[in-house]
Every structure is written in C-alpha cells, then in structure tokens.
C-alpha cells in the first residue's frame, strides 16, 4: 500500500496529526485523543500506519502483562509532486474528502473539550477570494510556506497549545478565453 492510499482514511490522518510535531504516544494515548473512535479501530489503523512505514516503534514496556508500544512518525510525510501529478480527478476528490472528514472530526473534538472557546482561541474558518496571476500565486504560497515552516519547529512549552492549520487553495473558475490579452489603450 502506498503512502497516499494509507493516508486516505480520516482516522489514519488523525493519528498522523496527533503524532505530528515530534510527539511520541502509545496507542492507548491515541485512543484518548481520538476518543469518539472505537479503540479497536484506532489500534487497527495504527497497525496499518506502522506496517506502511509511516509510524515506527519508539520503545515499549509491559503494562499488566501486555507489551505497550510508543509510536512516532518515521519522518515528515511528504507527498511528492510526481505522485500528485499522477492523481486522477477522482483521486483528488477522494483525498480532499478524506482530509475534510479528518478536519471536521478534529474540529468536533476541539468543540467537545472542556472550556473550548472559539472566540478566545481565535478559531478561524474564513474564505477569501483572491485574484492572482500564476506568479502572484507562487509568491504567496512561498510566503505562507516560509511563515508556517518557521513555526513548525516550535517546541512544547506551558504557554503553547498545538494548533491545526489547514490552508486550502484552488481556483474557483476558469479564466476567460482572452485572459492573456492586454486591454486596448
């Protein structure tokens, strides 16, 4: 099973998100973080991620006679440009739907936390329409990437909370046939 296929499930995406940022967790701890999913389902998906090489065992210890493993992400999961280019429109639909299902589950879990306060936490889910040339789009993506990557190495500390940021960008219409033409002066 390739990485795209492995990650094409909302529970597996949530496991990966829970372990992102250098976290090391047991399957029991993952079950606590994804409490609305049946424990057997979480265990099955952790095993699938480990079998695919996305997760690795960081250590193990005995708990009441059973071996409990601690997992971490093997490395940052990156889907290369070639893989994305080879995806069909249906692959993109399925992958996007999976990502949205995982995002909805994460947001629902956040709202279920004691003391969840979307106003105080500055929760945002806005949409903005931007008119961008291909060059402007590339420049904006590079700027956003630089801002995000600079913060991905932040370590946990008492005043920091983990946040989930999911930028989504796609064109919403095709350019008119004369989009490349310059207006007459």
């Amino acid at each position: 099973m390739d990485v795209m296929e492995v990650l094409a499930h909302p529970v597996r995406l949530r496991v990966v998100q829970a372990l992102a940022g250098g976290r090391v967790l047991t399957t029991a701890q993952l079950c606590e973080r994804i409490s609305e999913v049946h424990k057997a389902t979480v265990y099955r998906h952790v095993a699938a991620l480990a079998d695919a090489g996305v997760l690795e065992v960081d250590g193990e210890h005995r708990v009441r006679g059973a071996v409990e493993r601690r997992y971490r992400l093997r490395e940052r999961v990156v889907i290369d440009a070639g893989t994305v280019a080879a995806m069909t429109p249906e692959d993109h639909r399925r992958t996007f739907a999976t990502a949205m299902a995982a995002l909805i589950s994460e947001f629902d879990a956040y709202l279920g936390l004691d003391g969840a306060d979307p106003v105080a936490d500055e929760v945002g889910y806005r949409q903005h329409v931007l008119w961008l040339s291909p060059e402007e789009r590339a420049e904006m993506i590079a700027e956003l990437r630089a801002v995000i990557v600079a913060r991905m190495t932040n370590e946990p500390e008492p005043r920091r909370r983990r946040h989930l940021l999911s930028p989504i960008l796609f064109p919403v219409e095709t350019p008119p046939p004369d989009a490349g033409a310059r207006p007459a002066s």
Side-chain angles (χ1 to χ4, degrees):
M1 203 180 314
D2 70 359
V3 173
M4 284 295 292
E5 193 174 333
V6 170
L7 295 177
H9 192 285
V11 174
R12 289 185 213 137
L13 272 181
R14 292 193 62 204
V15 168
V16 168
Q17 290 166 350
L19 291 167
R23 277 205 160 148
V24 177
L25 299 170
T26 65
T27 308
Q29 290 169 319
L30 286 164
C31 288
E32 290 172 16
R33 290 187 180 349
I34 311 172
S35 61
E36 70 281 2
V37 177
H38 193 276
K39 287 181 181 185
T41 301
V42 175
Y43 274 84
R44 187 174 69 251
H45 288 296
V46 166
L49 288 164
D51 289 346
V54 174
L55 303 182
E56 67 182 357
V57 176
D58 188 66
E60 50 187 46
H61 64 278
R62 288 212 168 272
V63 177
R64 293 183 295 275
V67 174
E68 184 174 56
R69 292 183 177 97
R70 291 182 309 278
Y71 291 94
R72 67 181 174 98
L73 290 175
R74 175 159 285 208
E75 57 188 58
R76 191 167 155 247
V77 178
V78 176
I79 309 302
D80 63 35
T83 301
V84 174
M87 291 172 64
T88 66
E90 191 53 42
D91 292 336
H92 283 285
R93 281 185 189 94
R94 188 179 69 250
T95 302
F96 186 79
T98 299
M100 292 303 97
L103 186 60
I104 290 166
S105 294
E106 289 289 345
F107 189 67
D108 190 54
Y110 159 74
L111 292 175
L113 294 173
D114 288 338
D117 186 344
V119 174
D121 293 334
E122 298 181 90
V123 170
Y125 37 87
R126 295 162 186 84
Q127 293 182 345
H128 307 281
V129 176
L130 308 171
W131 291 88
L132 302 168
S133 69
E135 297 80 18
E136 291 167 330
R137 182 182 60 225
E139 180 182 22
M140 184 186 74
I141 290 169
E143 290 168 355
L144 290 170
R145 186 173 290 138
V147 168
I148 293 167
V149 168
R151 286 157 180 82
M152 287 175 65
T153 57
N154 286 357
E155 295 291 327
E157 63 178 50
R159 291 187 32 87
R160 286 187 176 146
R161 288 176 64 187
R162 280 177 28 120
H163 289 77
L164 181 60
L165 178 64
S166 299
I168 299 167
L169 173 71
F170 58 90
V172 292
E173 60 187 45
T174 57
D178 62 346
R182 293 184 158 266
S185 354

